[in-house]
Amino acid sequence: MEATTEDINKLYKLITEAKHLVALTGAGVSTLSGIRDFRGKNGLYNELDAEKIFDIYYFEKDPSLFYTQGGSFIYNIDEKEPSIVHNVLGKLEQRGYLKSLITQNIDLLHQKGGCKKVIEIHGSPSTHYCFHCAGINVSYEEVAEVVRKGEMPKCPKCGRVLKPAITFFGESLPAEALKQATIESQQADVMLILGTSLTVFPAASMPEHTLRNSGKLVIVNNMSTPLDYQAFMHFEDLGQVFEGLNQLLN
Ligand code: ZN
């Protein structure tokens, strides 16, 4: 279902008149930048052993799988450019419309697209820590340099391999980010739900907070979600909708 000019105008009005606009994004936003979805039709799950790559017990035993296989897409993402969706969301934040952005993505592309208020509920590779030494905090850039040479990042104190602050299977989600995401979802009078099928919790529960406080949901996703029937507006093509919004913003 293609969004008409009238639809886009209506959405633009909703966005620019919202009191507390919040966005919730998933993998669909990044596939436009050439980042592959883990679970989608051409997802990495089918090709790589993602269950193992992102498994904390496996990582503790042997982190090399993560840094060799996972590394090829996590640490080459600065070659990827933000998509029209990342860029428009960045503009919306800079112009004061977007109050915060909750993402399930771990690719740092929202930051690259100009968003500063990013809540990363599945963690982030922006920092790396040591299981054994408190206070170790190594940046994405430093680690990426090491990984691209085919090596693993080591703790400057004890020499053990560092772990990215991405949430792995078997780990609990970052509590502070979840708390913030919940508060933002409760405050939202409009939530944009972009490129996520709302099947993974707790992301899937965020729109429920918005609905409970009489906020409106706008869903843009190429697959159906369990909340489609509750959406105020619903579109399928992220690229088309955001090209339209971009024209109105210029
Ligand atoms: Zn250490």
Side-chain angles (χ1 to χ4, degrees), residues 1-12 14 192-195 217-225 228 231-242 245:
M1 182 178 44
E2 184 123 314
T4 63
T5 309
E6 202 188 342
D7 289 333
I8 304 285
N9 288 336
K10 187 179 165 192
L11 175 59
Y12 183 74
L14 186 72
L192 305 176
I193 298 163
L194 312 171
L217 306 183
V218 177
I219 299 179
V220 192
N221 195 43
N222 61 5
M223 289 192 279
S224 64
T225 83
D228 287 353
F232 180 71
M233 298 183 87
H234 176 222
F235 306 106
E236 285 172 10
D237 190 339
L238 267 171
Q240 192 229 347
V241 169
F242 275 75
L245 288 174

PDB file of all heavy atoms in Angstrom, residues 1-12 14 192-195 217-225 228 231-242 245:
ATOM      1  N   MET A   1       0.852  -1.199   0.000  1.00  0.00           N
ATOM      2  CA  MET A   1       0.000   0.000   0.000  1.00  0.00           C
ATOM      3  C   MET A   1       0.885   1.246   0.000  1.00  0.00           C
ATOM      4  O   MET A   1       1.601   1.507   0.956  1.00  0.00           O
ATOM      5  CB  MET A   1      -0.883  -0.021   1.254  1.00  0.00           C
ATOM      6  CG  MET A   1      -1.840   1.143   1.362  1.00  0.00           C
ATOM      7  SD  MET A   1      -2.867   0.994   2.849  1.00  0.00           S
ATOM      8  CE  MET A   1      -1.664   0.505   4.101  1.00  0.00           C
ATOM      9  N   GLU A   2       0.828   1.948  -1.090  1.00  0.00           N
ATOM     10  CA  GLU A   2       1.657   3.140  -1.271  1.00  0.00           C
ATOM     11  C   GLU A   2       1.062   4.334  -0.517  1.00  0.00           C
ATOM     12  O   GLU A   2      -0.147   4.544  -0.528  1.00  0.00           O
ATOM     13  CB  GLU A   2       1.732   3.444  -2.774  1.00  0.00           C
ATOM     14  CG  GLU A   2       2.640   4.587  -3.093  1.00  0.00           C
ATOM     15  CD  GLU A   2       3.735   4.189  -4.072  1.00  0.00           C
ATOM     16  OE1 GLU A   2       4.369   3.128  -3.894  1.00  0.00           O
ATOM     17  OE2 GLU A   2       3.958   4.967  -4.989  1.00  0.00           O
ATOM     18  N   ALA A   3       1.921   5.115   0.142  1.00  0.00           N
ATOM     19  CA  ALA A   3       1.430   6.308   0.836  1.00  0.00           C
ATOM     20  C   ALA A   3       1.158   7.410  -0.187  1.00  0.00           C
ATOM     21  O   ALA A   3       2.002   7.693  -1.036  1.00  0.00           O
ATOM     22  CB  ALA A   3       2.473   6.780   1.839  1.00  0.00           C
ATOM     23  N   THR A   4      -0.004   8.021  -0.119  1.00  0.00           N
ATOM     24  CA  THR A   4      -0.333   9.113  -1.040  1.00  0.00           C
ATOM     25  C   THR A   4       0.257  10.422  -0.517  1.00  0.00           C
ATOM     26  O   THR A   4       0.684  10.504   0.641  1.00  0.00           O
ATOM     27  CB  THR A   4      -1.862   9.293  -1.154  1.00  0.00           C
ATOM     28  OG1 THR A   4      -2.360   9.661   0.148  1.00  0.00           O
ATOM     29  CG2 THR A   4      -2.537   8.002  -1.599  1.00  0.00           C
ATOM     30  N   THR A   5       0.266  11.451  -1.356  1.00  0.00           N
ATOM     31  CA  THR A   5       0.742  12.773  -0.936  1.00  0.00           C
ATOM     32  C   THR A   5      -0.072  13.263   0.261  1.00  0.00           C
ATOM     33  O   THR A   5       0.465  13.863   1.201  1.00  0.00           O
ATOM     34  CB  THR A   5       0.598  13.780  -2.099  1.00  0.00           C
ATOM     35  OG1 THR A   5       1.202  13.187  -3.244  1.00  0.00           O
ATOM     36  CG2 THR A   5       1.286  15.092  -1.788  1.00  0.00           C
ATOM     37  N   GLU A   6      -1.343  12.964   0.213  1.00  0.00           N
ATOM     38  CA  GLU A   6      -2.239  13.361   1.306  1.00  0.00           C
ATOM     39  C   GLU A   6      -1.832  12.669   2.616  1.00  0.00           C
ATOM     40  O   GLU A   6      -1.792  13.295   3.676  1.00  0.00           O
ATOM     41  CB  GLU A   6      -3.663  12.969   0.904  1.00  0.00           C
ATOM     42  CG  GLU A   6      -4.744  13.746   1.619  1.00  0.00           C
ATOM     43  CD  GLU A   6      -6.131  13.173   1.306  1.00  0.00           C
ATOM     44  OE1 GLU A   6      -6.276  12.427   0.309  1.00  0.00           O
ATOM     45  OE2 GLU A   6      -7.050  13.465   2.083  1.00  0.00           O
ATOM     46  N   ASP A   7      -1.511  11.384   2.513  1.00  0.00           N
ATOM     47  CA  ASP A   7      -1.044  10.626   3.687  1.00  0.00           C
ATOM     48  C   ASP A   7       0.208  11.266   4.283  1.00  0.00           C
ATOM     49  O   ASP A   7       0.337  11.435   5.491  1.00  0.00           O
ATOM     50  CB  ASP A   7      -0.661   9.184   3.292  1.00  0.00           C
ATOM     51  CG  ASP A   7      -1.869   8.327   2.940  1.00  0.00           C
ATOM     52  OD1 ASP A   7      -2.968   8.608   3.453  1.00  0.00           O
ATOM     53  OD2 ASP A   7      -1.695   7.385   2.145  1.00  0.00           O
ATOM     54  N   ILE A   8       1.171  11.584   3.401  1.00  0.00           N
ATOM     55  CA  ILE A   8       2.446  12.136   3.857  1.00  0.00           C
ATOM     56  C   ILE A   8       2.221  13.494   4.534  1.00  0.00           C
ATOM     57  O   ILE A   8       2.805  13.788   5.571  1.00  0.00           O
ATOM     58  CB  ILE A   8       3.444  12.299   2.674  1.00  0.00           C
ATOM     59  CG1 ILE A   8       3.647  10.970   1.940  1.00  0.00           C
ATOM     60  CG2 ILE A   8       4.782  12.861   3.164  1.00  0.00           C
ATOM     61  CD1 ILE A   8       4.492   9.941   2.615  1.00  0.00           C
ATOM     62  N   ASN A   9       1.352  14.305   3.932  1.00  0.00           N
ATOM     63  CA  ASN A   9       1.034  15.606   4.533  1.00  0.00           C
ATOM     64  C   ASN A   9       0.412  15.436   5.923  1.00  0.00           C
ATOM     65  O   ASN A   9       0.737  16.170   6.855  1.00  0.00           O
ATOM     66  CB  ASN A   9       0.072  16.401   3.635  1.00  0.00           C
ATOM     67  CG  ASN A   9       0.761  16.919   2.387  1.00  0.00           C
ATOM     68  OD1 ASN A   9       1.992  17.081   2.367  1.00  0.00           O
ATOM     69  ND2 ASN A   9       0.013  17.154   1.333  1.00  0.00           N
ATOM     70  N   LYS A  10      -0.454  14.453   6.021  1.00  0.00           N
ATOM     71  CA  LYS A  10      -1.122  14.188   7.304  1.00  0.00           C
ATOM     72  C   LYS A  10      -0.092  13.726   8.354  1.00  0.00           C
ATOM     73  O   LYS A  10      -0.112  14.165   9.506  1.00  0.00           O
ATOM     74  CB  LYS A  10      -2.196  13.109   7.083  1.00  0.00           C
ATOM     75  CG  LYS A  10      -3.080  12.842   8.290  1.00  0.00           C
ATOM     76  CD  LYS A  10      -4.126  11.770   7.951  1.00  0.00           C
ATOM     77  CE  LYS A  10      -4.764  11.225   9.215  1.00  0.00           C
ATOM     78  NZ  LYS A  10      -5.564  10.010   8.958  1.00  0.00           N
ATOM     79  N   LEU A  11       0.819  12.877   7.908  1.00  0.00           N
ATOM     80  CA  LEU A  11       1.856  12.381   8.808  1.00  0.00           C
ATOM     81  C   LEU A  11       2.787  13.514   9.238  1.00  0.00           C
ATOM     82  O   LEU A  11       3.165  13.624  10.415  1.00  0.00           O
ATOM     83  CB  LEU A  11       2.654  11.258   8.119  1.00  0.00           C
ATOM     84  CG  LEU A  11       3.867  10.693   8.867  1.00  0.00           C
ATOM     85  CD1 LEU A  11       3.451  10.121  10.224  1.00  0.00           C
ATOM     86  CD2 LEU A  11       4.544   9.597   8.037  1.00  0.00           C
ATOM     87  N   TYR A  12       3.150  14.363   8.289  1.00  0.00           N
ATOM     88  CA  TYR A  12       4.026  15.499   8.582  1.00  0.00           C
ATOM     89  C   TYR A  12       3.395  16.417   9.632  1.00  0.00           C
ATOM     90  O   TYR A  12       4.056  16.869  10.578  1.00  0.00           O
ATOM     91  CB  TYR A  12       4.296  16.278   7.295  1.00  0.00           C
ATOM     92  CG  TYR A  12       5.238  17.435   7.466  1.00  0.00           C
ATOM     93  CD1 TYR A  12       6.606  17.226   7.627  1.00  0.00           C
ATOM     94  CD2 TYR A  12       4.763  18.749   7.480  1.00  0.00           C
ATOM     95  CE1 TYR A  12       7.474  18.292   7.794  1.00  0.00           C
ATOM     96  CE2 TYR A  12       5.628  19.820   7.650  1.00  0.00           C
ATOM     97  CZ  TYR A  12       6.986  19.578   7.805  1.00  0.00           C
ATOM     98  OH  TYR A  12       7.852  20.635   7.971  1.00  0.00           O
ATOM     99  N   LEU A  14       1.124  15.541  11.812  1.00  0.00           N
ATOM    100  CA  LEU A  14       1.104  14.805  13.085  1.00  0.00           C
ATOM    101  C   LEU A  14       2.459  14.920  13.791  1.00  0.00           C
ATOM    102  O   LEU A  14       2.545  15.170  14.995  1.00  0.00           O
ATOM    103  CB  LEU A  14       0.779  13.328  12.803  1.00  0.00           C
ATOM    104  CG  LEU A  14       0.573  12.420  14.011  1.00  0.00           C
ATOM    105  CD1 LEU A  14      -0.755  12.727  14.695  1.00  0.00           C
ATOM    106  CD2 LEU A  14       0.601  10.948  13.598  1.00  0.00           C
ATOM    107  N   LEU A 192       6.589   6.840  16.388  1.00  0.00           N
ATOM    108  CA  LEU A 192       6.852   6.311  15.053  1.00  0.00           C
ATOM    109  C   LEU A 192       7.518   4.953  15.225  1.00  0.00           C
ATOM    110  O   LEU A 192       8.574   4.861  15.862  1.00  0.00           O
ATOM    111  CB  LEU A 192       7.800   7.230  14.276  1.00  0.00           C
ATOM    112  CG  LEU A 192       7.409   8.706  14.135  1.00  0.00           C
ATOM    113  CD1 LEU A 192       8.530   9.465  13.423  1.00  0.00           C
ATOM    114  CD2 LEU A 192       6.100   8.836  13.364  1.00  0.00           C
ATOM    115  N   ILE A 193       6.923   3.910  14.677  1.00  0.00           N
ATOM    116  CA  ILE A 193       7.474   2.558  14.810  1.00  0.00           C
ATOM    117  C   ILE A 193       7.996   2.162  13.437  1.00  0.00           C
ATOM    118  O   ILE A 193       7.221   1.991  12.492  1.00  0.00           O
ATOM    119  CB  ILE A 193       6.380   1.605  15.310  1.00  0.00           C
ATOM    120  CG1 ILE A 193       5.923   2.066  16.701  1.00  0.00           C
ATOM    121  CG2 ILE A 193       6.870   0.164  15.346  1.00  0.00           C
ATOM    122  CD1 ILE A 193       4.612   1.476  17.134  1.00  0.00           C
ATOM    123  N   LEU A 194       9.313   2.064  13.307  1.00  0.00           N
ATOM    124  CA  LEU A 194       9.926   1.998  11.982  1.00  0.00           C
ATOM    125  C   LEU A 194      10.807   0.776  11.795  1.00  0.00           C
ATOM    126  O   LEU A 194      11.768   0.577  12.545  1.00  0.00           O
ATOM    127  CB  LEU A 194      10.771   3.266  11.756  1.00  0.00           C
ATOM    128  CG  LEU A 194      10.088   4.598  12.089  1.00  0.00           C
ATOM    129  CD1 LEU A 194      11.100   5.747  12.046  1.00  0.00           C
ATOM    130  CD2 LEU A 194       8.917   4.857  11.166  1.00  0.00           C
ATOM    131  N   GLY A 195      10.456  -0.038  10.832  1.00  0.00           N
ATOM    132  CA  GLY A 195      11.317  -1.162  10.478  1.00  0.00           C
ATOM    133  C   GLY A 195      11.460  -2.211  11.554  1.00  0.00           C
ATOM    134  O   GLY A 195      12.502  -2.856  11.656  1.00  0.00           O
ATOM    135  N   LEU A 217       0.033   5.671  17.455  1.00  0.00           N
ATOM    136  CA  LEU A 217       1.117   4.909  16.827  1.00  0.00           C
ATOM    137  C   LEU A 217       1.079   5.092  15.317  1.00  0.00           C
ATOM    138  O   LEU A 217       0.019   5.044  14.706  1.00  0.00           O
ATOM    139  CB  LEU A 217       0.969   3.415  17.120  1.00  0.00           C
ATOM    140  CG  LEU A 217       0.841   2.954  18.572  1.00  0.00           C
ATOM    141  CD1 LEU A 217       0.780   1.422  18.618  1.00  0.00           C
ATOM    142  CD2 LEU A 217       1.994   3.471  19.427  1.00  0.00           C
ATOM    143  N   VAL A 218       2.264   5.313  14.745  1.00  0.00           N
ATOM    144  CA  VAL A 218       2.417   5.291  13.289  1.00  0.00           C
ATOM    145  C   VAL A 218       3.379   4.154  12.982  1.00  0.00           C
ATOM    146  O   VAL A 218       4.522   4.163  13.456  1.00  0.00           O
ATOM    147  CB  VAL A 218       2.994   6.619  12.758  1.00  0.00           C
ATOM    148  CG1 VAL A 218       3.209   6.539  11.249  1.00  0.00           C
ATOM    149  CG2 VAL A 218       2.079   7.785  13.113  1.00  0.00           C
ATOM    150  N   ILE A 219       2.915   3.168  12.239  1.00  0.00           N
ATOM    151  CA  ILE A 219       3.753   2.005  11.951  1.00  0.00           C
ATOM    152  C   ILE A 219       4.160   2.013  10.479  1.00  0.00           C
ATOM    153  O   ILE A 219       3.312   2.140   9.601  1.00  0.00           O
ATOM    154  CB  ILE A 219       2.998   0.689  12.291  1.00  0.00           C
ATOM    155  CG1 ILE A 219       2.653   0.662  13.794  1.00  0.00           C
ATOM    156  CG2 ILE A 219       3.825  -0.536  11.895  1.00  0.00           C
ATOM    157  CD1 ILE A 219       1.879  -0.576  14.247  1.00  0.00           C
ATOM    158  N   VAL A 220       5.477   1.948  10.238  1.00  0.00           N
ATOM    159  CA  VAL A 220       5.966   1.799   8.863  1.00  0.00           C
ATOM    160  C   VAL A 220       6.876   0.578   8.835  1.00  0.00           C
ATOM    161  O   VAL A 220       7.981   0.588   9.384  1.00  0.00           O
ATOM    162  CB  VAL A 220       6.749   3.038   8.365  1.00  0.00           C
ATOM    163  CG1 VAL A 220       6.959   2.939   6.843  1.00  0.00           C
ATOM    164  CG2 VAL A 220       6.033   4.342   8.717  1.00  0.00           C
ATOM    165  N   ASN A 221       6.386  -0.475   8.241  1.00  0.00           N
ATOM    166  CA  ASN A 221       7.157  -1.716   8.202  1.00  0.00           C
ATOM    167  C   ASN A 221       6.667  -2.565   7.031  1.00  0.00           C
ATOM    168  O   ASN A 221       5.484  -2.553   6.714  1.00  0.00           O
ATOM    169  CB  ASN A 221       6.979  -2.483   9.516  1.00  0.00           C
ATOM    170  CG  ASN A 221       8.007  -3.584   9.690  1.00  0.00           C
ATOM    171  OD1 ASN A 221       9.192  -3.379   9.418  1.00  0.00           O
ATOM    172  ND2 ASN A 221       7.573  -4.756  10.103  1.00  0.00           N
ATOM    173  N   ASN A 222       7.592  -3.293   6.423  1.00  0.00           N
ATOM    174  CA  ASN A 222       7.187  -4.085   5.260  1.00  0.00           C
ATOM    175  C   ASN A 222       6.604  -5.451   5.623  1.00  0.00           C
ATOM    176  O   ASN A 222       6.243  -6.227   4.766  1.00  0.00           O
ATOM    177  CB  ASN A 222       8.358  -4.231   4.281  1.00  0.00           C
ATOM    178  CG  ASN A 222       9.542  -4.943   4.915  1.00  0.00           C
ATOM    179  OD1 ASN A 222       9.458  -5.405   6.058  1.00  0.00           O
ATOM    180  ND2 ASN A 222      10.640  -5.035   4.193  1.00  0.00           N
ATOM    181  N   MET A 223       6.536  -5.724   6.915  1.00  0.00           N
ATOM    182  CA  MET A 223       5.846  -6.931   7.363  1.00  0.00           C
ATOM    183  C   MET A 223       4.807  -6.508   8.400  1.00  0.00           C
ATOM    184  O   MET A 223       4.946  -5.466   9.037  1.00  0.00           O
ATOM    185  CB  MET A 223       6.831  -7.916   7.978  1.00  0.00           C
ATOM    186  CG  MET A 223       7.759  -8.564   6.960  1.00  0.00           C
ATOM    187  SD  MET A 223       8.658  -9.967   7.659  1.00  0.00           S
ATOM    188  CE  MET A 223       9.972  -9.147   8.527  1.00  0.00           C
ATOM    189  N   SER A 224       3.804  -7.328   8.576  1.00  0.00           N
ATOM    190  CA  SER A 224       2.756  -6.964   9.525  1.00  0.00           C
ATOM    191  C   SER A 224       3.272  -7.070  10.957  1.00  0.00           C
ATOM    192  O   SER A 224       4.239  -7.779  11.240  1.00  0.00           O
ATOM    193  CB  SER A 224       1.535  -7.855   9.333  1.00  0.00           C
ATOM    194  OG  SER A 224       1.888  -9.172   9.642  1.00  0.00           O
ATOM    195  N   THR A 225       2.666  -6.300  11.849  1.00  0.00           N
ATOM    196  CA  THR A 225       3.032  -6.345  13.259  1.00  0.00           C
ATOM    197  C   THR A 225       1.765  -6.639  14.064  1.00  0.00           C
ATOM    198  O   THR A 225       0.657  -6.420  13.575  1.00  0.00           O
ATOM    199  CB  THR A 225       3.621  -4.996  13.747  1.00  0.00           C
ATOM    200  OG1 THR A 225       2.539  -4.118  14.073  1.00  0.00           O
ATOM    201  CG2 THR A 225       4.516  -4.329  12.706  1.00  0.00           C
ATOM    202  N   ASP A 228      -0.712  -3.548  14.247  1.00  0.00           N
ATOM    203  CA  ASP A 228      -1.193  -2.840  13.056  1.00  0.00           C
ATOM    204  C   ASP A 228      -2.626  -2.330  13.234  1.00  0.00           C
ATOM    205  O   ASP A 228      -2.950  -1.220  12.839  1.00  0.00           O
ATOM    206  CB  ASP A 228      -1.132  -3.754  11.827  1.00  0.00           C
ATOM    207  CG  ASP A 228       0.297  -3.972  11.350  1.00  0.00           C
ATOM    208  OD1 ASP A 228       1.208  -3.307  11.893  1.00  0.00           O
ATOM    209  OD2 ASP A 228       0.503  -4.803  10.451  1.00  0.00           O
ATOM    210  N   ALA A 231      -2.919   0.943  15.018  1.00  0.00           N
ATOM    211  CA  ALA A 231      -2.146   2.089  14.533  1.00  0.00           C
ATOM    212  C   ALA A 231      -3.053   3.189  14.001  1.00  0.00           C
ATOM    213  O   ALA A 231      -4.044   2.927  13.317  1.00  0.00           O
ATOM    214  CB  ALA A 231      -1.189   1.635  13.433  1.00  0.00           C
ATOM    215  N   PHE A 232      -2.658   4.424  14.281  1.00  0.00           N
ATOM    216  CA  PHE A 232      -3.367   5.598  13.768  1.00  0.00           C
ATOM    217  C   PHE A 232      -3.097   5.728  12.270  1.00  0.00           C
ATOM    218  O   PHE A 232      -3.969   6.052  11.485  1.00  0.00           O
ATOM    219  CB  PHE A 232      -2.880   6.838  14.536  1.00  0.00           C
ATOM    220  CG  PHE A 232      -3.522   8.117  14.119  1.00  0.00           C
ATOM    221  CD1 PHE A 232      -4.852   8.381  14.434  1.00  0.00           C
ATOM    222  CD2 PHE A 232      -2.803   9.079  13.415  1.00  0.00           C
ATOM    223  CE1 PHE A 232      -5.457   9.573  14.050  1.00  0.00           C
ATOM    224  CE2 PHE A 232      -3.405  10.275  13.037  1.00  0.00           C
ATOM    225  CZ  PHE A 232      -4.733  10.523  13.360  1.00  0.00           C
ATOM    226  N   MET A 233      -1.841   5.478  11.891  1.00  0.00           N
ATOM    227  CA  MET A 233      -1.482   5.413  10.472  1.00  0.00           C
ATOM    228  C   MET A 233      -0.562   4.216  10.285  1.00  0.00           C
ATOM    229  O   MET A 233       0.189   3.861  11.185  1.00  0.00           O
ATOM    230  CB  MET A 233      -0.750   6.691  10.024  1.00  0.00           C
ATOM    231  CG  MET A 233      -1.579   7.950  10.155  1.00  0.00           C
ATOM    232  SD  MET A 233      -0.672   9.412   9.525  1.00  0.00           S
ATOM    233  CE  MET A 233      -1.127   9.335   7.792  1.00  0.00           C
ATOM    234  N   HIS A 234      -0.613   3.643   9.079  1.00  0.00           N
ATOM    235  CA  HIS A 234       0.154   2.428   8.826  1.00  0.00           C
ATOM    236  C   HIS A 234       0.605   2.394   7.369  1.00  0.00           C
ATOM    237  O   HIS A 234      -0.215   2.514   6.469  1.00  0.00           O
ATOM    238  CB  HIS A 234      -0.741   1.215   9.153  1.00  0.00           C
ATOM    239  CG  HIS A 234      -0.094  -0.090   8.853  1.00  0.00           C
ATOM    240  ND1 HIS A 234      -0.762  -1.132   8.265  1.00  0.00           N
ATOM    241  CD2 HIS A 234       1.175  -0.508   9.044  1.00  0.00           C
ATOM    242  CE1 HIS A 234       0.073  -2.153   8.100  1.00  0.00           C
ATOM    243  NE2 HIS A 234       1.247  -1.796   8.565  1.00  0.00           N
ATOM    244  N   PHE A 235       1.918   2.286   7.167  1.00  0.00           N
ATOM    245  CA  PHE A 235       2.467   2.217   5.801  1.00  0.00           C
ATOM    246  C   PHE A 235       3.462   1.076   5.720  1.00  0.00           C
ATOM    247  O   PHE A 235       3.935   0.576   6.739  1.00  0.00           O
ATOM    248  CB  PHE A 235       3.185   3.523   5.435  1.00  0.00           C
ATOM    249  CG  PHE A 235       2.331   4.741   5.625  1.00  0.00           C
ATOM    250  CD1 PHE A 235       2.564   5.599   6.701  1.00  0.00           C
ATOM    251  CD2 PHE A 235       1.289   5.027   4.758  1.00  0.00           C
ATOM    252  CE1 PHE A 235       1.768   6.718   6.893  1.00  0.00           C
ATOM    253  CE2 PHE A 235       0.488   6.139   4.948  1.00  0.00           C
ATOM    254  CZ  PHE A 235       0.733   6.991   6.017  1.00  0.00           C
ATOM    255  N   GLU A 236       3.807   0.727   4.466  1.00  0.00           N
ATOM    256  CA  GLU A 236       4.739  -0.398   4.299  1.00  0.00           C
ATOM    257  C   GLU A 236       6.138   0.024   3.872  1.00  0.00           C
ATOM    258  O   GLU A 236       7.125  -0.581   4.267  1.00  0.00           O
ATOM    259  CB  GLU A 236       4.175  -1.386   3.266  1.00  0.00           C
ATOM    260  CG  GLU A 236       3.038  -2.202   3.846  1.00  0.00           C
ATOM    261  CD  GLU A 236       2.331  -3.050   2.810  1.00  0.00           C
ATOM    262  OE1 GLU A 236       2.825  -3.160   1.668  1.00  0.00           O
ATOM    263  OE2 GLU A 236       1.277  -3.598   3.161  1.00  0.00           O
ATOM    264  N   ASP A 237       6.202   1.084   3.053  1.00  0.00           N
ATOM    265  CA  ASP A 237       7.473   1.397   2.410  1.00  0.00           C
ATOM    266  C   ASP A 237       8.199   2.544   3.122  1.00  0.00           C
ATOM    267  O   ASP A 237       7.891   3.716   2.908  1.00  0.00           O
ATOM    268  CB  ASP A 237       7.197   1.747   0.942  1.00  0.00           C
ATOM    269  CG  ASP A 237       8.482   1.862   0.129  1.00  0.00           C
ATOM    270  OD1 ASP A 237       9.562   2.074   0.732  1.00  0.00           O
ATOM    271  OD2 ASP A 237       8.408   1.744  -1.098  1.00  0.00           O
ATOM    272  N   LEU A 238       9.180   2.187   3.931  1.00  0.00           N
ATOM    273  CA  LEU A 238       9.940   3.187   4.688  1.00  0.00           C
ATOM    274  C   LEU A 238      10.594   4.222   3.783  1.00  0.00           C
ATOM    275  O   LEU A 238      10.546   5.419   4.063  1.00  0.00           O
ATOM    276  CB  LEU A 238      11.047   2.484   5.474  1.00  0.00           C
ATOM    277  CG  LEU A 238      10.773   2.063   6.910  1.00  0.00           C
ATOM    278  CD1 LEU A 238      11.929   1.204   7.400  1.00  0.00           C
ATOM    279  CD2 LEU A 238      10.592   3.275   7.810  1.00  0.00           C
ATOM    280  N   GLY A 239      11.231   3.743   2.721  1.00  0.00           N
ATOM    281  CA  GLY A 239      11.949   4.629   1.807  1.00  0.00           C
ATOM    282  C   GLY A 239      11.010   5.683   1.228  1.00  0.00           C
ATOM    283  O   GLY A 239      11.313   6.872   1.235  1.00  0.00           O
ATOM    284  N   GLN A 240       9.855   5.232   0.757  1.00  0.00           N
ATOM    285  CA  GLN A 240       8.897   6.147   0.121  1.00  0.00           C
ATOM    286  C   GLN A 240       8.361   7.176   1.126  1.00  0.00           C
ATOM    287  O   GLN A 240       8.321   8.366   0.847  1.00  0.00           O
ATOM    288  CB  GLN A 240       7.745   5.329  -0.469  1.00  0.00           C
ATOM    289  CG  GLN A 240       6.856   6.140  -1.394  1.00  0.00           C
ATOM    290  CD  GLN A 240       5.380   5.968  -1.080  1.00  0.00           C
ATOM    291  OE1 GLN A 240       4.981   5.073  -0.340  1.00  0.00           O
ATOM    292  NE2 GLN A 240       4.573   6.858  -1.627  1.00  0.00           N
ATOM    293  N   VAL A 241       7.974   6.722   2.306  1.00  0.00           N
ATOM    294  CA  VAL A 241       7.415   7.621   3.323  1.00  0.00           C
ATOM    295  C   VAL A 241       8.449   8.666   3.744  1.00  0.00           C
ATOM    296  O   VAL A 241       8.153   9.855   3.852  1.00  0.00           O
ATOM    297  CB  VAL A 241       6.917   6.811   4.545  1.00  0.00           C
ATOM    298  CG1 VAL A 241       6.583   7.727   5.715  1.00  0.00           C
ATOM    299  CG2 VAL A 241       5.704   5.971   4.175  1.00  0.00           C
ATOM    300  N   PHE A 242       9.696   8.225   3.917  1.00  0.00           N
ATOM    301  CA  PHE A 242      10.720   9.163   4.403  1.00  0.00           C
ATOM    302  C   PHE A 242      11.253  10.090   3.303  1.00  0.00           C
ATOM    303  O   PHE A 242      11.674  11.197   3.594  1.00  0.00           O
ATOM    304  CB  PHE A 242      11.827   8.420   5.165  1.00  0.00           C
ATOM    305  CG  PHE A 242      11.434   8.220   6.600  1.00  0.00           C
ATOM    306  CD1 PHE A 242      10.490   7.265   6.953  1.00  0.00           C
ATOM    307  CD2 PHE A 242      11.935   9.042   7.593  1.00  0.00           C
ATOM    308  CE1 PHE A 242      10.073   7.116   8.272  1.00  0.00           C
ATOM    309  CE2 PHE A 242      11.526   8.910   8.925  1.00  0.00           C
ATOM    310  CZ  PHE A 242      10.594   7.939   9.263  1.00  0.00           C
ATOM    311  N   LEU A 245       8.629  12.768   3.517  1.00  0.00           N
ATOM    312  CA  LEU A 245       8.823  13.635   4.684  1.00  0.00           C
ATOM    313  C   LEU A 245      10.025  14.558   4.473  1.00  0.00           C
ATOM    314  O   LEU A 245      10.009  15.726   4.839  1.00  0.00           O
ATOM    315  CB  LEU A 245       9.047  12.793   5.949  1.00  0.00           C
ATOM    316  CG  LEU A 245       7.827  12.057   6.522  1.00  0.00           C
ATOM    317  CD1 LEU A 245       8.250  11.173   7.680  1.00  0.00           C
ATOM    318  CD2 LEU A 245       6.749  13.046   6.966  1.00  0.00           C
TER     319      LEU A 245
END
